[in-house]
Amino acid sequence: MQVLDPSPSALEITPTPEDAPLVIAGREFRSRLMTGTGKYANFETMRQAIAASGSEIVTVAVRRVQTNAPGHEGLAEALDWSRIWMLPNTAGCKTAEEAIRVARLGREMAKLLGQEDNHFVKLEVIPDAKYLLPDPIGTLQAAEQLVKEGFAVLPYVNADPILAQRLEAVGCATVMPLGSPIGSGQGIRNAANIRIIIENATIPVVVDAGIGTPSEAAAAMEMGADALLINTAIAKAQNPVLMGHAMGLATTAGRLAYRSGRIPIQSHASASSPLAGRITE
C-alpha cells in the first residue's frame, strides 16, 4: 500500500472560529477528534494517520501493550507522548474488577511515558465477544470506584440516556455512547438516543464506535456531540493517512455546522433569489 507523506501545511486543520476548546477533566484540547492505535498495518502508517487527523488524544489498549500482544509490541514507544495525550483504555476486560485493575496499570504506564498528571482512562467492560457491546452494570460499578480513586473516567456505553445520567452523577468526565457496534462501519444507528444524551448532559458527549465515513463523522458533530473517537474507519481504510485527514476535516465541518444552526426543513420550495426588482415584460 502506498502511504501518503503529507506536508504539514496541507494537513493543517483550521480551528473552528471563536470556538471554545474541548475541555475534559479540566484539560483543554483544540481537536475534537480522538483516534486509536489498533488495526494499522504498521507503526509508520499509524503515526502519519494520527498526525493527518489532527488528533491530540490517542487511545491505547493497556492489556495489549502490557502483554506485548501481536501488533502491539513497542506501541507505547511508537508515538511522541510529549505532543499527544494518552488515553489508556481497558479493552479486553470482561468484568468491573478487571477493568479497575487494568485502569490502574494504565495510569502507571502513562506516568512511565512522561505524563505524570495523566489520570484519564477510557473505561470498557465488554463480556460479549460477538457484538462487543458494553456491560452497563459493570461499567457503572467500575466507574464509581475509579472516580473515587481520582481517575478521569471516559466510559464507553450503549446509547442509553438513563445510564449516561447515572455515569455523570457518579462523576465521570465524559460519556461515550456508541453509534453502532465497534468496527462495524454501520454509522450512527442510535441517533435518537444520542440526541437525548446530548440534550441532558453537562459533561462532554463523545460518539464512539461505528463511524465509517467522514459524512457520518460530520453528522454526529452536527447533532451536537462534543467530540468523536474513530479508529477502524481510519486504520482499515485503503489510505489511512488520507482518511485520517478527511475525518479531521469532517469533525471540524460538523462542529461548524452545529454552531451555525441549520435552516428549518420545509414542505415547500423557497426561491433563493428575491422576486422583488426582477425584470418583467
PDB file of all heavy atoms in Angstrom, residues 66-95:
ATOM      1  N   GLN A  66       0.745  -4.211  27.649  1.00  0.00           N
ATOM      2  CA  GLN A  66       1.395  -4.882  28.767  1.00  0.00           C
ATOM      3  C   GLN A  66       1.818  -6.312  28.414  1.00  0.00           C
ATOM      4  O   GLN A  66       2.850  -6.798  28.864  1.00  0.00           O
ATOM      5  CB  GLN A  66       0.443  -4.918  29.983  1.00  0.00           C
ATOM      6  CG  GLN A  66       0.176  -3.554  30.599  1.00  0.00           C
ATOM      7  CD  GLN A  66       1.296  -3.088  31.499  1.00  0.00           C
ATOM      8  OE1 GLN A  66       1.989  -3.899  32.098  1.00  0.00           O
ATOM      9  NE2 GLN A  66       1.489  -1.785  31.600  1.00  0.00           N
ATOM     10  N   THR A  67       1.004  -6.985  27.609  1.00  0.00           N
ATOM     11  CA  THR A  67       1.293  -8.384  27.276  1.00  0.00           C
ATOM     12  C   THR A  67       2.034  -8.537  25.956  1.00  0.00           C
ATOM     13  O   THR A  67       2.282  -9.653  25.514  1.00  0.00           O
ATOM     14  CB  THR A  67      -0.025  -9.193  27.191  1.00  0.00           C
ATOM     15  OG1 THR A  67      -0.871  -8.614  26.187  1.00  0.00           O
ATOM     16  CG2 THR A  67      -0.749  -9.187  28.522  1.00  0.00           C
ATOM     17  N   ASN A  68       2.382  -7.382  25.313  1.00  0.00           N
ATOM     18  CA  ASN A  68       3.033  -7.424  24.007  1.00  0.00           C
ATOM     19  C   ASN A  68       2.260  -8.271  23.008  1.00  0.00           C
ATOM     20  O   ASN A  68       2.824  -9.091  22.278  1.00  0.00           O
ATOM     21  CB  ASN A  68       4.471  -7.949  24.123  1.00  0.00           C
ATOM     22  CG  ASN A  68       5.424  -6.891  24.634  1.00  0.00           C
ATOM     23  OD1 ASN A  68       5.281  -5.719  24.297  1.00  0.00           O
ATOM     24  ND2 ASN A  68       6.376  -7.289  25.449  1.00  0.00           N
ATOM     25  N   ALA A  69       0.952  -8.078  22.979  1.00  0.00           N
ATOM     26  CA  ALA A  69       0.109  -8.798  22.028  1.00  0.00           C
ATOM     27  C   ALA A  69       0.554  -8.485  20.606  1.00  0.00           C
ATOM     28  O   ALA A  69       1.115  -7.427  20.340  1.00  0.00           O
ATOM     29  CB  ALA A  69      -1.345  -8.399  22.225  1.00  0.00           C
ATOM     30  N   PRO A  70       0.327  -9.416  19.670  1.00  0.00           N
ATOM     31  CA  PRO A  70       0.749  -9.191  18.287  1.00  0.00           C
ATOM     32  C   PRO A  70       0.256  -7.855  17.742  1.00  0.00           C
ATOM     33  O   PRO A  70      -0.911  -7.519  17.878  1.00  0.00           O
ATOM     34  CB  PRO A  70       0.093 -10.364  17.542  1.00  0.00           C
ATOM     35  CG  PRO A  70      -0.018 -11.437  18.567  1.00  0.00           C
ATOM     36  CD  PRO A  70      -0.305 -10.733  19.858  1.00  0.00           C
ATOM     37  N   GLY A  71       1.185  -7.099  17.152  1.00  0.00           N
ATOM     38  CA  GLY A  71       0.847  -5.788  16.605  1.00  0.00           C
ATOM     39  C   GLY A  71       0.970  -4.669  17.619  1.00  0.00           C
ATOM     40  O   GLY A  71       0.866  -3.493  17.266  1.00  0.00           O
ATOM     41  N   HIS A  72       1.198  -5.022  18.891  1.00  0.00           N
ATOM     42  CA  HIS A  72       1.285  -4.010  19.937  1.00  0.00           C
ATOM     43  C   HIS A  72       2.675  -3.938  20.567  1.00  0.00           C
ATOM     44  O   HIS A  72       2.913  -3.125  21.449  1.00  0.00           O
ATOM     45  CB  HIS A  72       0.239  -4.284  21.029  1.00  0.00           C
ATOM     46  CG  HIS A  72      -1.165  -4.013  20.581  1.00  0.00           C
ATOM     47  ND1 HIS A  72      -1.842  -4.863  19.746  1.00  0.00           N
ATOM     48  CD2 HIS A  72      -2.001  -2.967  20.819  1.00  0.00           C
ATOM     49  CE1 HIS A  72      -3.057  -4.374  19.509  1.00  0.00           C
ATOM     50  NE2 HIS A  72      -3.174  -3.230  20.143  1.00  0.00           N
ATOM     51  N   GLU A  73       3.607  -4.786  20.121  1.00  0.00           N
ATOM     52  CA  GLU A  73       4.958  -4.720  20.655  1.00  0.00           C
ATOM     53  C   GLU A  73       5.582  -3.380  20.279  1.00  0.00           C
ATOM     54  O   GLU A  73       5.644  -3.023  19.119  1.00  0.00           O
ATOM     55  CB  GLU A  73       5.823  -5.852  20.091  1.00  0.00           C
ATOM     56  CG  GLU A  73       5.227  -7.240  20.245  1.00  0.00           C
ATOM     57  CD  GLU A  73       4.465  -7.704  19.004  1.00  0.00           C
ATOM     58  OE1 GLU A  73       3.868  -6.825  18.319  1.00  0.00           O
ATOM     59  OE2 GLU A  73       4.463  -8.902  18.733  1.00  0.00           O
ATOM     60  N   GLY A  74       6.025  -2.651  21.284  1.00  0.00           N
ATOM     61  CA  GLY A  74       6.649  -1.362  21.018  1.00  0.00           C
ATOM     62  C   GLY A  74       5.681  -0.226  20.781  1.00  0.00           C
ATOM     63  O   GLY A  74       6.103   0.897  20.469  1.00  0.00           O
ATOM     64  N   LEU A  75       4.383  -0.477  20.941  1.00  0.00           N
ATOM     65  CA  LEU A  75       3.388   0.555  20.663  1.00  0.00           C
ATOM     66  C   LEU A  75       3.550   1.762  21.575  1.00  0.00           C
ATOM     67  O   LEU A  75       3.440   2.911  21.134  1.00  0.00           O
ATOM     68  CB  LEU A  75       1.982  -0.025  20.808  1.00  0.00           C
ATOM     69  CG  LEU A  75       0.811   0.951  20.674  1.00  0.00           C
ATOM     70  CD1 LEU A  75       0.850   1.647  19.312  1.00  0.00           C
ATOM     71  CD2 LEU A  75      -0.518   0.239  20.860  1.00  0.00           C
ATOM     72  N   ALA A  76       3.839   1.512  22.834  1.00  0.00           N
ATOM     73  CA  ALA A  76       3.953   2.620  23.789  1.00  0.00           C
ATOM     74  C   ALA A  76       5.069   3.579  23.395  1.00  0.00           C
ATOM     75  O   ALA A  76       5.002   4.772  23.694  1.00  0.00           O
ATOM     76  CB  ALA A  76       4.202   2.073  25.193  1.00  0.00           C
ATOM     77  N   GLU A  77       6.094   3.075  22.716  1.00  0.00           N
ATOM     78  CA  GLU A  77       7.221   3.918  22.316  1.00  0.00           C
ATOM     79  C   GLU A  77       7.077   4.445  20.893  1.00  0.00           C
ATOM     80  O   GLU A  77       7.924   5.201  20.410  1.00  0.00           O
ATOM     81  CB  GLU A  77       8.534   3.123  22.430  1.00  0.00           C
ATOM     82  CG  GLU A  77       8.906   2.725  23.846  1.00  0.00           C
ATOM     83  CD  GLU A  77       8.088   1.542  24.370  1.00  0.00           C
ATOM     84  OE1 GLU A  77       7.698   0.683  23.541  1.00  0.00           O
ATOM     85  OE2 GLU A  77       7.834   1.491  25.583  1.00  0.00           O
ATOM     86  N   ALA A  78       6.013   4.060  20.203  1.00  0.00           N
ATOM     87  CA  ALA A  78       5.876   4.396  18.781  1.00  0.00           C
ATOM     88  C   ALA A  78       5.384   5.818  18.539  1.00  0.00           C
ATOM     89  O   ALA A  78       5.492   6.325  17.425  1.00  0.00           O
ATOM     90  CB  ALA A  78       4.928   3.406  18.099  1.00  0.00           C
ATOM     91  N   LEU A  79       4.844   6.458  19.559  1.00  0.00           N
ATOM     92  CA  LEU A  79       4.299   7.812  19.395  1.00  0.00           C
ATOM     93  C   LEU A  79       5.012   8.783  20.337  1.00  0.00           C
ATOM     94  O   LEU A  79       5.558   8.383  21.370  1.00  0.00           O
ATOM     95  CB  LEU A  79       2.795   7.817  19.678  1.00  0.00           C
ATOM     96  CG  LEU A  79       1.926   7.072  18.658  1.00  0.00           C
ATOM     97  CD1 LEU A  79       0.503   6.914  19.187  1.00  0.00           C
ATOM     98  CD2 LEU A  79       1.925   7.778  17.314  1.00  0.00           C
ATOM     99  N   ASP A  80       4.974  10.046  19.980  1.00  0.00           N
ATOM    100  CA  ASP A  80       5.603  11.090  20.784  1.00  0.00           C
ATOM    101  C   ASP A  80       4.596  11.576  21.823  1.00  0.00           C
ATOM    102  O   ASP A  80       3.741  12.418  21.535  1.00  0.00           O
ATOM    103  CB  ASP A  80       6.040  12.239  19.866  1.00  0.00           C
ATOM    104  CG  ASP A  80       6.743  13.352  20.635  1.00  0.00           C
ATOM    105  OD1 ASP A  80       6.846  13.253  21.876  1.00  0.00           O
ATOM    106  OD2 ASP A  80       7.181  14.323  19.990  1.00  0.00           O
ATOM    107  N   TRP A  81       4.714  11.064  23.032  1.00  0.00           N
ATOM    108  CA  TRP A  81       3.742  11.366  24.074  1.00  0.00           C
ATOM    109  C   TRP A  81       3.960  12.743  24.691  1.00  0.00           C
ATOM    110  O   TRP A  81       3.184  13.154  25.551  1.00  0.00           O
ATOM    111  CB  TRP A  81       3.760  10.278  25.145  1.00  0.00           C
ATOM    112  CG  TRP A  81       3.385   8.943  24.583  1.00  0.00           C
ATOM    113  CD1 TRP A  81       4.196   7.860  24.426  1.00  0.00           C
ATOM    114  CD2 TRP A  81       2.106   8.561  24.063  1.00  0.00           C
ATOM    115  NE1 TRP A  81       3.500   6.825  23.838  1.00  0.00           N
ATOM    116  CE2 TRP A  81       2.220   7.218  23.604  1.00  0.00           C
ATOM    117  CE3 TRP A  81       0.866   9.213  23.931  1.00  0.00           C
ATOM    118  CZ2 TRP A  81       1.153   6.522  23.039  1.00  0.00           C
ATOM    119  CZ3 TRP A  81      -0.188   8.526  23.363  1.00  0.00           C
ATOM    120  CH2 TRP A  81      -0.045   7.200  22.924  1.00  0.00           C
ATOM    121  N   SER A  82       4.969  13.453  24.246  1.00  0.00           N
ATOM    122  CA  SER A  82       5.105  14.842  24.678  1.00  0.00           C
ATOM    123  C   SER A  82       4.174  15.750  23.878  1.00  0.00           C
ATOM    124  O   SER A  82       3.921  16.893  24.262  1.00  0.00           O
ATOM    125  CB  SER A  82       6.552  15.322  24.507  1.00  0.00           C
ATOM    126  OG  SER A  82       6.918  15.379  23.130  1.00  0.00           O
ATOM    127  N   ARG A  83       3.639  15.229  22.761  1.00  0.00           N
ATOM    128  CA  ARG A  83       2.740  16.004  21.900  1.00  0.00           C
ATOM    129  C   ARG A  83       1.315  15.451  21.882  1.00  0.00           C
ATOM    130  O   ARG A  83       0.382  16.138  21.481  1.00  0.00           O
ATOM    131  CB  ARG A  83       3.287  16.020  20.471  1.00  0.00           C
ATOM    132  CG  ARG A  83       4.675  16.608  20.363  1.00  0.00           C
ATOM    133  CD  ARG A  83       5.196  16.543  18.942  1.00  0.00           C
ATOM    134  NE  ARG A  83       4.363  17.326  18.043  1.00  0.00           N
ATOM    135  CZ  ARG A  83       4.533  17.359  16.729  1.00  0.00           C
ATOM    136  NH1 ARG A  83       5.496  16.642  16.172  1.00  0.00           N
ATOM    137  NH2 ARG A  83       3.746  18.099  15.968  1.00  0.00           N
ATOM    138  N   ILE A  84       1.156  14.208  22.285  1.00  0.00           N
ATOM    139  CA  ILE A  84      -0.148  13.540  22.234  1.00  0.00           C
ATOM    140  C   ILE A  84      -0.536  13.124  23.644  1.00  0.00           C
ATOM    141  O   ILE A  84       0.287  12.596  24.397  1.00  0.00           O
ATOM    142  CB  ILE A  84      -0.097  12.305  21.318  1.00  0.00           C
ATOM    143  CG1 ILE A  84       0.205  12.723  19.881  1.00  0.00           C
ATOM    144  CG2 ILE A  84      -1.401  11.521  21.373  1.00  0.00           C
ATOM    145  CD1 ILE A  84       0.490  11.549  18.962  1.00  0.00           C
ATOM    146  N   TRP A  85      -1.800  13.349  23.994  1.00  0.00           N
ATOM    147  CA  TRP A  85      -2.299  12.944  25.305  1.00  0.00           C
ATOM    148  C   TRP A  85      -2.764  11.493  25.230  1.00  0.00           C
ATOM    149  O   TRP A  85      -3.609  11.149  24.400  1.00  0.00           O
ATOM    150  CB  TRP A  85      -3.442  13.846  25.728  1.00  0.00           C
ATOM    151  CG  TRP A  85      -3.874  13.688  27.152  1.00  0.00           C
ATOM    152  CD1 TRP A  85      -5.047  13.183  27.600  1.00  0.00           C
ATOM    153  CD2 TRP A  85      -3.134  14.056  28.323  1.00  0.00           C
ATOM    154  NE1 TRP A  85      -5.094  13.207  28.967  1.00  0.00           N
ATOM    155  CE2 TRP A  85      -3.927  13.740  29.440  1.00  0.00           C
ATOM    156  CE3 TRP A  85      -1.873  14.618  28.527  1.00  0.00           C
ATOM    157  CZ2 TRP A  85      -3.503  13.969  30.748  1.00  0.00           C
ATOM    158  CZ3 TRP A  85      -1.453  14.860  29.832  1.00  0.00           C
ATOM    159  CH2 TRP A  85      -2.262  14.537  30.921  1.00  0.00           C
ATOM    160  N   MET A  86      -2.205  10.666  26.087  1.00  0.00           N
ATOM    161  CA  MET A  86      -2.563   9.245  26.082  1.00  0.00           C
ATOM    162  C   MET A  86      -3.898   9.018  26.784  1.00  0.00           C
ATOM    163  O   MET A  86      -4.142   9.556  27.869  1.00  0.00           O
ATOM    164  CB  MET A  86      -1.482   8.401  26.762  1.00  0.00           C
ATOM    165  CG  MET A  86      -1.825   6.923  26.828  1.00  0.00           C
ATOM    166  SD  MET A  86      -0.601   5.939  27.713  1.00  0.00           S
ATOM    167  CE  MET A  86       0.736   5.931  26.529  1.00  0.00           C
ATOM    168  N   LEU A  87      -4.738   8.206  26.146  1.00  0.00           N
ATOM    169  CA  LEU A  87      -5.989   7.775  26.766  1.00  0.00           C
ATOM    170  C   LEU A  87      -5.913   6.259  26.929  1.00  0.00           C
ATOM    171  O   LEU A  87      -6.297   5.507  26.033  1.00  0.00           O
ATOM    172  CB  LEU A  87      -7.182   8.173  25.898  1.00  0.00           C
ATOM    173  CG  LEU A  87      -8.570   7.732  26.379  1.00  0.00           C
ATOM    174  CD1 LEU A  87      -8.844   8.212  27.798  1.00  0.00           C
ATOM    175  CD2 LEU A  87      -9.646   8.222  25.427  1.00  0.00           C
ATOM    176  N   PRO A  88      -5.370   5.771  28.057  1.00  0.00           N
ATOM    177  CA  PRO A  88      -5.330   4.325  28.264  1.00  0.00           C
ATOM    178  C   PRO A  88      -6.751   3.773  28.287  1.00  0.00           C
ATOM    179  O   PRO A  88      -7.665   4.400  28.834  1.00  0.00           O
ATOM    180  CB  PRO A  88      -4.671   4.184  29.645  1.00  0.00           C
ATOM    181  CG  PRO A  88      -3.971   5.490  29.875  1.00  0.00           C
ATOM    182  CD  PRO A  88      -4.813   6.515  29.193  1.00  0.00           C
ATOM    183  N   ASN A  89      -6.952   2.607  27.690  1.00  0.00           N
ATOM    184  CA  ASN A  89      -8.284   2.008  27.733  1.00  0.00           C
ATOM    185  C   ASN A  89      -8.232   0.595  28.287  1.00  0.00           C
ATOM    186  O   ASN A  89      -7.183  -0.062  28.277  1.00  0.00           O
ATOM    187  CB  ASN A  89      -8.985   2.080  26.368  1.00  0.00           C
ATOM    188  CG  ASN A  89      -8.447   1.101  25.359  1.00  0.00           C
ATOM    189  OD1 ASN A  89      -8.369  -0.097  25.615  1.00  0.00           O
ATOM    190  ND2 ASN A  89      -8.083   1.598  24.183  1.00  0.00           N
ATOM    191  N   THR A  90      -9.359   0.151  28.770  1.00  0.00           N
ATOM    192  CA  THR A  90      -9.446  -1.153  29.421  1.00  0.00           C
ATOM    193  C   THR A  90     -10.004  -2.218  28.481  1.00  0.00           C
ATOM    194  O   THR A  90     -10.684  -3.142  28.914  1.00  0.00           O
ATOM    195  CB  THR A  90     -10.300  -1.079  30.705  1.00  0.00           C
ATOM    196  OG1 THR A  90     -11.643  -0.709  30.347  1.00  0.00           O
ATOM    197  CG2 THR A  90      -9.737  -0.060  31.686  1.00  0.00           C
ATOM    198  N   ALA A  91      -9.714  -2.079  27.189  1.00  0.00           N
ATOM    199  CA  ALA A  91     -10.180  -3.056  26.199  1.00  0.00           C
ATOM    200  C   ALA A  91      -9.766  -4.465  26.605  1.00  0.00           C
ATOM    201  O   ALA A  91      -8.660  -4.686  27.102  1.00  0.00           O
ATOM    202  CB  ALA A  91      -9.601  -2.720  24.826  1.00  0.00           C
ATOM    203  N   GLY A  92     -10.668  -5.411  26.390  1.00  0.00           N
ATOM    204  CA  GLY A  92     -10.397  -6.801  26.729  1.00  0.00           C
ATOM    205  C   GLY A  92     -10.869  -7.205  28.108  1.00  0.00           C
ATOM    206  O   GLY A  92     -10.820  -8.384  28.465  1.00  0.00           O
ATOM    207  N   CYS A  93     -11.349  -6.230  28.899  1.00  0.00           N
ATOM    208  CA  CYS A  93     -11.827  -6.539  30.248  1.00  0.00           C
ATOM    209  C   CYS A  93     -13.299  -6.936  30.206  1.00  0.00           C
ATOM    210  O   CYS A  93     -14.120  -6.254  29.596  1.00  0.00           O
ATOM    211  CB  CYS A  93     -11.646  -5.328  31.164  1.00  0.00           C
ATOM    212  SG  CYS A  93      -9.913  -4.929  31.460  1.00  0.00           S
ATOM    213  N   LYS A  94     -13.611  -8.028  30.879  1.00  0.00           N
ATOM    214  CA  LYS A  94     -14.972  -8.556  30.858  1.00  0.00           C
ATOM    215  C   LYS A  94     -15.756  -8.230  32.117  1.00  0.00           C
ATOM    216  O   LYS A  94     -16.979  -8.374  32.135  1.00  0.00           O
ATOM    217  CB  LYS A  94     -14.935 -10.072  30.663  1.00  0.00           C
ATOM    218  CG  LYS A  94     -14.319 -10.501  29.330  1.00  0.00           C
ATOM    219  CD  LYS A  94     -14.329 -12.003  29.186  1.00  0.00           C
ATOM    220  CE  LYS A  94     -13.738 -12.433  27.840  1.00  0.00           C
ATOM    221  NZ  LYS A  94     -13.741 -13.913  27.689  1.00  0.00           N
ATOM    222  N   THR A  95     -15.067  -7.821  33.168  1.00  0.00           N
ATOM    223  CA  THR A  95     -15.734  -7.521  34.432  1.00  0.00           C
ATOM    224  C   THR A  95     -15.266  -6.172  34.970  1.00  0.00           C
ATOM    225  O   THR A  95     -14.221  -5.650  34.559  1.00  0.00           O
ATOM    226  CB  THR A  95     -15.424  -8.584  35.500  1.00  0.00           C
ATOM    227  OG1 THR A  95     -14.016  -8.516  35.820  1.00  0.00           O
ATOM    228  CG2 THR A  95     -15.773  -9.982  34.994  1.00  0.00           C
TER     229      THR A  95
END
